[in-house]
């Protein structure tokens, strides 16, 4: 048999196997996932850091889930209505849901969490729930939220990450931030917290009483399918790659290995790369320009910076294609809000030089117009290389850039507190509604208050502020869309920060781990749909020879 | 000197050194820009002034520096290392959880370094100038000069990924849920690579030290006398040469034990070993100063105690030295 036929047969067999397996969810197995960095706390209602969100969605349900089109799907809330004036939101909660300690889940839990956590502590939600004037619970399964002004953005943030309900009976009357249950969470979700060995691992076990009893598959098993999830802390990127390659871990989210290793791992037969499940985060990488610097006050200089950077090459060289050149801070996957009708700055170094000349920044005798510093987000090599690429690009138009390194607290204090910087490379999560994640980069109210991930450029524009405020309290989604489009045009003309890439994060996972992506917010949702096509490889001496290692398969 | 005087003097020394270390560390750490609340807010990916204020109040960072310092010292006086707000746990408990893993790694790597280093050094000394000596000395030089983390990663690539003999990292196979002997064996398998990585540098140091001292001691008159009076070669080696060559090794051992937390940071990171070095390293980046101060204090006490032990061992090895 020649090779080609063999390959074809293989492909057919694979397709057939896939078709047969599509309905053959099987129960059982232990999933070992890599969590990095180690979470600080295990409840994302109190800390929205990525590892906490990734972990705690398995213990806590949201009021709703999102599907692959940003549409709402019932979870703890079976249905919901928005009043005509958009000022009242009613949730009808699912009956018979129990906390992991056996107490019933009721509307009192939602009311308490909203009033004490979402409104007061949740780092992101205050812009959404700040205008709540009252919460009514006419019965155990109805929650009515009244707003003084419409707050339509709330619908974009009702999953386990945006609206994590905490058990009132364990939290009421305690010091919430110091409550011991923050680190041994009791939720309603598909997996039950078992143990956290610090610096080592966290284990979850299947919740046998999970509310989602819908039988799926030919074998009629119910969710969740996995018996156990172990979240391993693996601090070194090289060790993460080795653990995945060897099959000691089968699931690792948030681009766990350096981009240059990703391609190699993706080619191994036992592994695959998954880029879906991150759209809800809407991440975009950008170059913040400190507009308080005298030489950056002129918009023409900022535009020249944009013209000088070839984003296609930047994407290929620095980010190995794990991105898409951005034209707006609202990423293109947010189809509803994104507009491409904005001023664009395609790669054009001649135009950049002309603009710089016009702005009075002429080349000196040594060919240098300007000497500045660039600080990059200290989250790894990719950001450092981004800074170095920009240094090279700007050198060509006569701007001499010195790339500076520091640790995270030093970086955030420099940019958001002291404002002692020229350019900074950073990414923000835009989230499903620009009000939650995008507008913070442009709203003048947060300049220089030492709040990490706020308005770092120092942009203060009355029109932009007004658009943001209107979008916050508008009762009509169509009007909000129009306002956000106007905002994109405004900030892309002024360019206080230069969008570079829409980032594509990836998950490395075992090829036989199925149905890991159920919606745009998968990375902050539970793995209740995931199942192993065959028993996972247990990595130890006695079984290593029996199971197929990626090397053997190769 | 009376025993009581010795004990009192040593304890006073311990307390004053520990206090000095604490004061210096406390104020030195304040020089690092940013605080724990900023780190937490940074990691959260979003923040509001209210959230920051709540965190600062929770951590006690809204108090004046001197008040914070006074509270810390008061806690210490009650043998309380304070509370790590970031981890939501008392510092003593956090350290206690990590100490066994670090002690195991430390013990194994020191044992490996001393045994292998002394043996190789002795062989090299007896074969000075010959092929065995050249090979051992070259190897020692290579391990002496290669960075730890690189050796660690290479060992992982060779023994875990290629040969598939040993696990990539971690302390035991969590999935398997072993108990009893199986568990001990499992931990031992996980221990091999990190212990060897951490021990290789010091093994090289001991090899070179042992070789140099033994070559020198063998030339001494008392060795010639021992040989001349007809002592058997093993007795000459162990009773006369080795015992006299051990003093520099013990000095170096004291240094290794004291500096091992520094080296453990890298090895614990590369091998996902849940030890104290990584905890300290992360505490620094997280500006979790209560935790970091606690670890630094504990390790300074370890250094002092190890020095006592070294002093004591000297007196056993060389009766001319007195313990005071």
């Amino acid at each position: 048999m020649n090779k080609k036929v063999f390959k074809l047969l293989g492909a057919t067999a694979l397709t057939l196997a896939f078709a047969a397996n599509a309905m053959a969810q099987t129960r059982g197995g232990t999933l070992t996932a890599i969590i990095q960095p180690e979470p600080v706390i295990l409840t994302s209602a109190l800390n929205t850091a990525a590892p906490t969100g990734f972990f705690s969605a398995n213990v806590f349900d949201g009021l709703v889930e999102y599907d692959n089109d940003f549409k709402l799907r019932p979870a703890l809330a079976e249905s919901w209505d928005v009043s005509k004036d958009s000022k009242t939101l009613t949730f009808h909660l699912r009956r018979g849901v129990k906390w992991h300690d056996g107490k019933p889940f009721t509307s009192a839990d939602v009311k308490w969490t909203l009033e004490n956590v979402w409104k007061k502590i949740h780092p992101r939600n205050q812009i959404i729930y700040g205008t709540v004037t009252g919460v009514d619970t006419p019965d155990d399964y109805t929650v009515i939220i009244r707003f003084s002004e419409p707050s339509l953005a709330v619908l974009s943030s009702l999953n386990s990450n945006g609206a994590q309900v905490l058990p009132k009976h364990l939290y009421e009357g305690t010091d919430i931030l110091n409550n011991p249950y923050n680190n041994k969470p009791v939720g309603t979700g598909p997996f039950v917290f078992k143990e956290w060995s610090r610096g080592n691992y966290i284990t979850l076990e299947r919740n046998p009483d999970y509310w989602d009893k819908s039988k799926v598959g030919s074998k009629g098993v119910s969710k969740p399918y996995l018996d156990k999830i172990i979240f391993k802390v693996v601090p070194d990127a090289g060790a993460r790659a080795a653990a995945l390659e060897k099959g000691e871990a089968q699931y690792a989210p948030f681009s766990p290995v350096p981009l240059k290793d990703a391609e190699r791992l993706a080619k191994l037969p036992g592994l695959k790369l998954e880029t879906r499940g991150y759209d809800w985060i809407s991440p975009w990488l950008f170059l913040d320009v400190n507009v308080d610097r005298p030489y950056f006050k002129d918009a023409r200089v900022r535009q020249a910076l944009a013209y000088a950077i070839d984003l296609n090459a930047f994407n290929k060289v620095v980010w190995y294609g794990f991105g898409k050149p951005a034209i707006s801070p609202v990423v293109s996957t947010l189809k509803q809000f994104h507009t491409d009708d904005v001023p664009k700055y395609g790669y054009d170094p001649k135009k950049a030089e002309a603009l710089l000349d016009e702005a009075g920044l002429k080349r000196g005798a040594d060919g240098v117009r300007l000497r500045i510093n660039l600080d990059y987000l200290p989250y790894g090599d990719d950001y450092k290389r981004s800074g170095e690429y920009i240094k090279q690009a700007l050198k060509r138009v006569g701007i001499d850039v010195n790339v500076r390194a520091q640790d995270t607290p030093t970086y955030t204090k420099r940019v958001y507190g002291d404002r002692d910087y020229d350019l900074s490379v950073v990414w923000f999560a835009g989230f499903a509604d620009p009000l939650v994640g995008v507008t913070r980069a442009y709203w003048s109210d947060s300049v220089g208050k030492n709040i990490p991930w706020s308005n770092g450029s120092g942009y203060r524009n009355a029109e932009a502020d007004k658009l943001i405020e209107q979008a916050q309290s508008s009762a009509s989604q169509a009007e909000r869309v129009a306002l956000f489009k106007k905002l994109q045009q405004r900030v892309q003309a002024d360019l206080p920060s230069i969008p570079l890439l829409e980032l594509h994060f990836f998950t490395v996972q075992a090829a036989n781990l199925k149905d890991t992506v159920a919606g745009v917010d998968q990375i902050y949702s539970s793995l209740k749909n995931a199942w192993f096509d065959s028993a996972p490889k247990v990595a130890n001496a006695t079984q290593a020879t029996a199971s197929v290692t990626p090397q053997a398969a190769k | 000197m009376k025993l009581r005087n010795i004990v009192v003097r040593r304890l006073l020394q311990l307390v004053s050194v520990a206090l000095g270390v604490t004061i210096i560390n406390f104020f030195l750490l304040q020089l690092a820009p940013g605080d724990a609340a900023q780190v937490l807010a940074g990691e959260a990916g979003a923040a509001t002034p209210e959230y920051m204020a709540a965190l600062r109040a929770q951590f006690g960072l809204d108090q004046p520096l001197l008040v914070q310092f006074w509270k810390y010292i008061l806690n210490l006086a009650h043998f309380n290392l304070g509370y790590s707000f970031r981890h939501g746990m008392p510092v003593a408990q956090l350290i206690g959880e990590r100490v066994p893993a670090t002690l195991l790694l430390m013990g194994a790597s020191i044992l490996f370094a001393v045994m292998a280093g002394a043996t190789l050094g002795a062989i090299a000394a007896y074969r000075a100038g010959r092929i065995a000596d050249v090979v051992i000395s070259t190897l020692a030089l290579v391990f002496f000069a290669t960075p730890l983390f690189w050796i660690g990663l290479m060992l992982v690539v060779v023994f875990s990924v290629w040969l598939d003999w040993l696990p990539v990292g971690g302390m035991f196979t969590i999935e398997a849920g072993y108990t009893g002997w199986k568990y001990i064996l499992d931990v031992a398998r996980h221990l091999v690579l990190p212990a060897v990585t951490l021990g290789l540098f010091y093994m090289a140091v001991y090899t070179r030290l042992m070789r140099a001292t033994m070559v020198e001691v063998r030339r001494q008159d008392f060795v010639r006398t021992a040989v001349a009076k007809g002592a058997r070669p093993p007795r000459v080696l162990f009773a006369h040469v080795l015992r006299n060559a051990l003093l520099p090794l013990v000095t170096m051992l004291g240094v290794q034990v004291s500096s091992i937390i520094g080296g453990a940071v890298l090895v614990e990171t590369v091998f996902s070993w849940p030890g104290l070095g990584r905890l300290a390293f992360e505490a620094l980046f997280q500006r979790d100063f209560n935790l970091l101060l606690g670890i630094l204090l504990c390790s300074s006490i370890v250094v002092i105690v190890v020095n006592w032990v070294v002093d004591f061992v000297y007196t056993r090895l060389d009766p001319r030295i007195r313990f005071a």
Side-chain angles (χ1 to χ4, degrees):
Chain A
M1 200 187 304
N2 72 35
K3 240 182 178 171
K4 206 169 176 186
V5 174
F6 186 77
K7 246 186 184 167
L8 208 73
L9 275 178
T12 320
L14 211 79
T15 321
L16 284 176
F18 182 75
N21 279 331
M23 295 299 282
Q25 276 88 342
T26 46
R27 270 262 344 261
T30 297
L31 171 66
T32 305
I34 292 179
I35 192 162
Q36 188 55 40
E38 185 173 27
V40 181
I41 176 173
L42 300 184
T43 43
S44 52
L46 304 176
N47 186 323
T48 46
T52 305
F54 163 61
F55 166 84
S56 81
N58 290 293
V59 179
F60 293 94
D61 295 298
L63 287 172
V64 305
E65 295 169 0
Y66 295 101
D67 69 7
N68 282 314
D69 284 314
F70 288 93
K71 295 220 171 60
L72 282 65
R73 243 185 347 216
L76 287 179
E78 282 185 312
S79 62
W80 47 92
D81 336 290
V82 183
S83 69
K84 274 214 181 95
D85 61 359
S86 300
K87 286 186 181 178
T88 310
L89 182 59
T90 309
F91 289 107
H92 303 284
L93 303 180
R94 189 177 297 275
R95 284 156 200 264
V97 177
K98 284 197 172 67
W99 293 103
H100 293 158
D101 62 2
K103 296 264 185 341
F105 161 79
T106 67
S107 55
D109 294 309
V110 180
K111 177 182 161 78
W112 183 87
T113 313
L114 194 160
E115 288 175 342
N116 295 281
V117 180
W118 301 348
K119 205 177 163 180
K120 289 185 182 152
I121 301 176
H122 192 285
R124 215 167 51 220
N125 270 354
Q126 285 152 40
I127 193 157
I128 299 175
Y129 295 101
T131 52
V132 170
T133 51
V135 184
D136 297 330
T137 50
D139 62 60
D140 275 358
Y141 304 101
T142 311
V143 182
I144 302 169
I145 308 173
R146 284 179 283 106
F147 294 88
S148 62
E149 284 177 341
S151 182
L152 282 172
V154 72
L155 295 175
S156 77
S157 201
L158 290 170
N159 58 2
S160 173
N161 200 250
Q164 185 167 84
V165 185
L166 297 181
K168 181 186 174 189
H169 63 279
L170 298 177
Y171 276 87
E172 193 179 25
T174 64
D175 176 0
I176 298 170
L177 284 173
N178 282 328
N179 189 303
Y181 287 97
N182 294 341
N183 292 331
K184 45 176 181 173
V186 173
T188 58
F191 295 94
V192 180
F193 173 78
K194 195 79 189 154
E195 187 194 2
W196 182 6
S197 167
R198 307 231 172 203
N200 206 355
Y201 63 87
I202 313 170
T203 45
L204 294 181
E205 275 178 6
R206 184 176 185 271
N207 178 2
D209 294 325
Y210 190 53
W211 52 262
D212 192 347
K213 300 276 185 216
S214 55
K215 304 275 187 214
V216 180
S218 47
K219 292 181 186 156
V221 292
S222 67
K223 294 173 191 176
Y225 306 116
L226 298 168
D227 282 337
K228 222 174 173 185
I229 307 182
I230 294 168
F231 296 85
K232 258 191 200 168
V233 181
V234 185
D236 183 72
R240 286 197 287 276
L244 288 161
E245 186 170 352
K246 235 190 124 186
E248 286 183 12
Q250 301 94 29
Y251 190 75
F254 288 109
S255 310
V257 296
L259 296 169
K260 55 182 183 288
D261 280 353
E263 214 176 328
R264 181 179 65 83
L265 290 180
K267 283 186 188 135
L268 296 174
L271 292 176
K272 69 171 189 178
L273 233 58
E274 176 63 79
T275 54
R276 293 176 304 153
Y278 295 93
D279 285 352
W280 187 75
I281 305 177
S282 312
W284 89 102
L285 182 81
F286 58 94
L287 183 67
D288 244 346
V289 185
N290 185 351
V291 299
D292 288 340
R293 293 285 200 236
Y295 34 86
F296 287 143
K297 278 199 192 309
D298 190 334
R300 285 174 300 185
V301 179
R302 307 195 292 263
Q303 290 162 354
L305 298 176
Y307 279 121
I309 303 167
D310 181 355
L311 292 181
N312 280 310
F314 175 69
N315 184 29
K316 273 191 209 121
V317 174
V318 180
W319 289 85
Y320 292 83
F322 284 99
K324 178 185 169 190
I327 53 165
S328 153
V330 179
V331 297
S332 59
T333 43
L334 282 181
K335 294 186 189 81
Q336 191 184 8
F337 297 107
H338 172 81
T339 173
D340 59 4
D341 183 21
V342 289
K344 295 189 188 73
Y345 306 92
Y347 178 54
D348 190 347
K350 286 215 176 76
K351 196 158 185 182
E353 299 228 41
L355 280 168
L356 289 169
D357 282 336
E358 247 178 71
L361 290 171
K362 302 258 192 262
R363 280 184 189 261
D366 55 354
V368 177
R369 302 168 188 275
L370 189 60
R371 284 193 170 74
I372 52 174
N373 291 307
L374 181 146
D375 300 278
Y376 59 87
L377 184 70
Y379 282 8
D381 202 38
D382 305 326
Y383 301 93
K384 180 176 170 216
R385 293 192 306 129
S386 298
E388 282 161 357
Y389 183 93
I390 291 165
K391 174 191 169 95
Q392 293 302 322
L394 295 184
K395 192 169 188 172
R396 255 170 266 143
V397 298
I399 297 175
D400 191 40
V401 176
N402 169 38
V403 178
R404 288 191 294 204
Q406 56 232 301
D407 70 356
T408 312
T410 314
Y411 171 83
T412 57
K413 184 162 183 283
R414 181 193 287 284
V415 175
Y416 302 100
D418 303 342
R419 301 191 42 68
D420 173 29
Y421 82 102
D422 296 313
L423 298 175
S424 111
V425 179
V426 63
W427 75 270
F428 275 16
F431 294 102
D433 190 299
L435 187 71
V436 181
V438 175
T439 55
R440 56 181 166 161
Y442 299 100
W443 198 31
S444 68
D445 199 46
S446 61
V447 175
K449 288 187 181 163
N450 204 4
I451 309 296
W453 327 130
S454 57
N455 180 339
S457 66
Y459 179 61
R460 299 174 185 84
N461 182 285
E463 191 196 335
D465 282 350
K466 208 172 136 210
L467 290 170
I468 293 169
E469 279 149 30
Q470 282 173 344
Q472 188 173 1
S473 58
S474 166
S476 142
Q477 192 70 324
E479 189 188 50
R480 298 182 73 239
V481 168
L483 289 165
F484 282 128
K485 289 188 172 168
K486 262 193 203 162
L487 179 69
Q488 291 171 66
Q489 287 158 353
R490 179 75 263 154
V491 300
Q492 281 310 98
D494 293 342
L495 219 59
S497 70
I498 302 165
L500 299 171
L501 294 181
E502 300 176 2
L503 294 179
H504 295 163
F505 295 132
F506 61 88
T507 305
V508 184
Q509 64 172 79
N512 67 341
L513 180 67
K514 307 290 181 190
D515 293 332
T516 47
V517 182
V520 287
D521 62 339
Q522 177 57 49
I523 210 59
Y524 289 149
S525 320
S526 74
L527 288 161
K528 66 178 177 186
N529 298 305
W531 55 285
F532 277 112
D533 204 356
S534 54
K537 178 172 123 72
V538 175
N540 61 45
T542 47
Q543 298 187 26
T545 42
S547 59
V548 181
T549 63
Q551 284 74 38
K554 191 160 60 186
Chain B
M1 206 184 291
K2 276 185 199 153
L3 186 67
R4 210 186 61 148
N5 287 350
I6 295 179
V7 169
V8 168
R9 219 175 53 118
R10 292 264 165 171
L11 276 181
L12 267 178
Q13 191 190 351
L14 178 77
V15 170
S16 56
V17 170
L19 195 71
V21 164
T22 304
I23 293 173
I24 292 172
N25 283 335
F26 188 92
F27 290 99
L28 204 61
L29 290 178
Q30 303 300 329
L31 295 178
D35 60 31
Q38 212 165 10
V39 176
L40 270 179
E43 287 167 347
T48 58
E50 295 82 5
Y51 181 57
M52 301 285 287
L55 287 177
R56 291 219 164 88
Q58 184 203 0
F59 297 171
L61 291 170
D62 49 352
Q63 314 245 1
L65 187 61
L66 282 177
V67 174
Q68 290 180 43
F69 179 67
W70 179 240
K71 280 189 176 163
Y72 189 78
I73 293 291
L74 269 188
N75 273 339
L76 276 192
H78 293 91
F79 294 101
N80 176 0
L81 288 175
Y83 193 79
S84 164
F85 290 100
R86 187 185 166 89
H87 289 91
M89 266 176 148
V91 169
Q93 192 187 340
L94 267 170
I95 295 178
E97 275 182 9
R98 299 292 191 97
V99 159
T102 296
L103 282 184
L104 183 64
L105 180 61
M106 217 166 107
S109 81
I110 290 174
L111 203 70
F112 163 74
V114 171
M115 302 294 276
T119 314
L120 288 176
I123 295 173
Y126 262 81
R127 291 268 176 274
R130 295 192 221 167
I131 186 80
D133 176 34
V134 173
V135 171
I136 289 173
S137 297
T138 312
L139 270 183
L141 198 68
V142 168
F143 290 131
F144 188 71
T146 320
L148 261 183
F149 74 94
W150 191 82
I151 292 185
L153 281 175
M154 286 307 112
L155 288 176
V156 168
V157 167
V158 173
F159 290 100
S160 299
V161 179
W162 287 357
L163 297 173
D164 203 9
W165 289 351
L166 293 165
V168 170
M171 193 168 158
F172 54 93
T173 313
I174 310 153
E175 297 86 342
Y178 291 131
T179 47
W181 280 106
K182 270 192 156 172
Y183 173 77
I184 294 172
L185 211 72
D186 188 42
V187 172
R189 275 167 40 78
H190 282 80
L191 183 63
V192 174
L193 288 183
V196 167
T197 307
L198 189 56
L200 273 178
F201 174 82
Y202 279 96
M203 184 200 83
V205 173
Y206 296 145
T207 306
R208 289 158 59 93
L209 207 63
M210 199 66 188
R211 181 185 175 278
T213 347
M214 279 188 68
V215 166
E216 200 188 303
V217 173
R218 278 181 73 198
R219 288 201 205 108
Q220 305 266 331
D221 290 343
F222 71 88
V223 176
R224 194 178 306 132
T225 311
V227 175
K229 80 176 179 191
R232 287 160 184 274
R235 191 176 155 74
V236 175
L237 174 65
F238 290 109
H240 297 279
V241 181
L242 200 63
R243 186 164 175 179
N244 281 288
L246 274 181
L247 276 182
L249 196 92
V250 170
T251 313
M252 206 56 219
L253 191 65
V255 175
Q256 184 192 4
V257 173
S258 309
S259 72
I260 208 133
I261 284 193
V265 173
L266 284 171
V267 172
E268 286 174 2
T269 303
V270 169
F271 290 98
S272 319
W273 193 264
L276 212 52
R278 234 174 78 203
L279 190 67
F281 185 65
E282 285 163 8
L284 175 63
F285 280 96
Q286 295 155 352
R287 304 287 191 265
D288 189 349
F289 290 153
N290 272 359
L291 178 56
L292 190 56
L293 284 171
I295 297 172
L296 291 175
L297 182 66
C298 288
S299 38
S300 62
I301 291 174
V302 167
V303 171
I304 296 167
V305 171
V306 166
N307 271 313
W308 293 351
V309 173
V310 168
D311 287 353
F312 182 72
V313 171
Y314 279 157
T315 63
R316 308 299 299 178
L317 285 175
D318 186 344
R320 290 169 301 182
I321 301 174
R322 288 281 236 6
F323 188 69

